[in-house]
Amino acid sequence: MRISDFFRINKSDRSVFLFILSLLVLGASILFFLGGRNKKTTVTVADSMATDSILQRNGRYPYVKPRPYRTEDGRTAELFAFDPNTADSTQLLRLGLAPWQVRSIYKYRAKGGVFRTPEDFARVYGLTRKQYADMRPYIQISDDYAPAVNFVRPRQRFAGEYKQSEYKRDTLLFPYKLHEGQSIDLARADTTQLKKVPGIGSWWARQIVNYGKRLGGYVSVNQLKEIEGFPEETLSYFKLASAHTEKLNINALTLSQLRRHPYINFYQAREICDYRRLKGKITDISQLALLKDFPPEEINRLRPYITY
């Protein structure tokens, strides 16, 4: 027998062999030309959810099953675990938030805002009570955004070390507040002292100081009631030991200068100027009683601030 007899193939077998070989070549060509188009792996939403599931299984946060639902305007949405500090626009829109709400979150984060607790997310502009109630179980905030002070051990005092008085300084993180029966002098108090009054914070302290400057000094604690919205329950913490006012020279000031005082409006300032022009200088405040816009109560409260 010759060696060539081992490699001899019948005509029918040869046809089958060529057909199979053609299929293999065609399949390899398809994989070569089509399989190389996507050079990068696409991270899908399913991949993101799978990553979240791994973190949940590892104990980073408890697992909460995603839940599809329909928004009030009929859009299809899905609730899933998310961190409002890192969620992108696609995830926030998928949660059912409106585009303008997503822009509000982005602006807040761009200005340095941080959602430290799930309750902070309730302050998102336009977020309804129902939206927050639905999303609350799915909010998972990373420890990376917790205040650093929580991870710093307080300094231990050595035996015999001098203990500084808790109330020695006015510039405290949480200012000392007055107790019932204590009070401060309204005529001399600055904003730091005013913030010691229960119910008075930085904003109200500035309002009190600014109004006192416009008046020229307080002569009565009740003048605080003239500040719009002032919390009257705080009046018992104020006293006026020594009233000192900056007086207005009623004969020398112009109309625009007179009307700057809280107790003199435009019409009253105009009547004062007309009286001076027609009858000369004012020598006593009682002369203002001759003017129609000065009733007795207006004259009495203006009296401490007038000079001639």
Side-chain angles (χ1 to χ4, degrees):
M1 178 181 292
R2 291 178 297 178
I3 298 176
S4 59
D5 293 336
F6 289 97
F7 299 96
R8 184 174 299 171
I9 303 175
N10 295 333
K11 185 176 181 180
S12 59
D13 295 339
R14 190 165 52 250
S15 299
V16 174
F17 176 79
L18 291 175
F19 178 76
I20 294 174
L21 182 61
S22 300
L23 290 178
L24 292 174
V25 172
L26 179 62
S29 300
I30 292 174
L31 292 175
F32 178 81
F33 289 106
L34 298 182
R37 291 185 177 181
N38 296 326
K39 300 297 183 181
K40 298 180 179 179
T41 302
T42 302
V43 179
T44 62
V45 173
D47 297 330
S48 177
M49 294 298 297
T51 302
D52 288 344
S53 299
I54 293 172
L55 293 175
Q56 290 163 349
R57 288 196 298 270
N58 290 339
R60 287 290 301 274
Y61 43 79
Y63 175 74
V64 183
K65 183 178 180 181
R67 177 172 66 86
Y69 77 105
R70 282 193 172 274
T71 61
E72 296 179 357
D73 55 0
R75 292 183 293 117
T76 302
E78 183 182 13
L79 294 173
F80 55 90
F82 72 100
D83 188 338
N85 292 303
T86 57
D88 58 21
S89 58
T90 303
Q91 292 174 315
L92 294 173
L93 290 172
R94 221 174 99 232
L95 287 165
L97 295 175
W100 54 272
Q101 290 176 310
V102 175
R103 289 194 296 270
S104 177
I105 293 173
Y106 267 65
K107 289 180 181 178
Y108 176 74
R109 297 194 314 207
K111 293 180 179 179
V114 175
F115 299 98
R116 302 190 185 280
T117 63
E119 288 72 22
D120 291 343
F121 191 70
R123 296 200 300 265
V124 171
Y125 179 71
L127 192 69
T128 64
R129 181 177 181 179
K130 183 179 183 305
Q131 284 179 307
Y132 175 70
D134 290 338
M135 295 181 185
R136 174 62 181 82
Y138 297 88
I139 300 174
Q140 309 287 356
I141 297 178
S142 171
D143 290 341
D144 294 340
Y145 296 94
V149 69
N150 294 344
F151 302 94
V152 178
R153 295 175 58 187
R155 186 173 68 90
Q156 296 181 351
R157 294 183 179 274
F158 297 101
E161 183 178 359
Y162 170 75
K163 293 184 178 180
Q164 187 178 7
S165 173
E166 183 180 2
Y167 309 128
K168 186 174 182 179
R169 297 180 60 198
D170 290 330
T171 54
L172 298 174
L173 182 60
F174 300 100
Y176 159 71
K177 294 293 185 179
L178 299 178
H179 300 294
E180 194 69 31
Q182 294 181 317
S183 60
I184 61 173
D185 188 356
L186 180 59
R188 299 181 179 275
D190 56 16
T191 55
T192 302
Q193 294 172 320
L194 290 170
K195 285 189 289 185
K196 295 179 180 180
V197 175
I200 300 296
S202 299
W203 191 85
W204 278 118
R206 290 194 299 270
Q207 295 299 311
I208 294 171
V209 171
N210 292 339
Y211 190 66
K213 290 179 179 178
R214 291 180 59 202
L215 285 171
Y218 290 100
V219 295
S220 171
V221 171
N222 289 327
Q223 287 178 292
L224 294 174
K225 297 180 182 179
E226 299 167 6
I227 303 175
E228 184 178 359
F230 185 80
E232 296 186 13
E233 63 273 12
T234 65
L235 293 177
S236 60
Y237 293 97
F238 295 97
K239 66 179 180 180
L240 204 61
S242 56
H244 175 73
T245 60
E246 297 179 5
K247 297 184 179 294
L248 305 173
N249 190 331
I250 199 171
N251 293 307
L253 299 179
T254 64
L255 185 148
S256 60
Q257 291 172 328
L258 287 170
R259 62 177 296 193
R260 291 176 188 170
H261 196 276
Y263 292 166
I264 301 177
N265 58 36
F266 170 79
Y267 300 101
Q268 292 172 327
R270 186 174 63 181
E271 283 192 336
I272 291 174
C273 293
D274 290 342
Y275 184 91
R276 293 185 323 206
R277 179 170 52 84
L278 296 174
K279 298 187 178 182
K281 292 184 177 182
I282 298 173
T283 57
D284 190 273
I285 195 171
S286 59
Q287 294 175 258
L288 298 180
L290 302 174
L291 307 177
K292 65 176 182 178
D293 287 323
F294 282 95
E297 60 273 13
E298 293 286 333
I299 295 175
N300 288 333
R301 71 172 186 168
L302 189 58
R303 190 182 299 275
Y305 302 100
I306 295 299
T307 187
Y308 316 99

